[in-house]
Amino acid sequence: VVRGITGPVAGSFTIQGTADVPGNIVTLEATNLIPPVVWINIQTNAVPAGPFSITVSQGAKAIGFFRLMGQ
């Protein structure tokens, strides 16, 4: 469960949440939302059961759309 997203700060943002079981959080990015939307995997983070915090870089792009998936 994602509890909050903060940022951007210095080109990155932080995602905080709680996981029921250990797993992975996959962050995907698209440059626009015009169909067909192309989502690109930019980062995968292993998270423990319990609270977690991960930092995601926005890169140099002025606009980006992000999606999180649990594995």
Side-chain angles (χ1 to χ4, degrees):
V1 175
V2 173
R3 302 276 183 221
I5 299 174
T6 58
V9 176
S12 64
F13 59 93
T14 302
I15 300 167
Q16 297 174 332
T18 305
D20 292 334
V21 296
N24 292 312
I25 300 292
V26 178
T27 306
L28 306 161
E29 179 184 30
T31 56
N32 65 64
L33 297 178
I34 299 168
V37 177
V38 178
W39 292 100
I40 299 169
N41 180 344
I42 60 167
Q43 184 172 311
T44 300
N45 293 86
V47 295
F52 66 85
S53 179
I54 59 176
T55 300
V56 178
S57 173
Q58 288 184 261
K61 296 178 225 52
I63 297 175
F65 302 91
F66 298 90
R67 172 185 273 182
L68 301 175
M69 293 185 355
Q71 288 183 324

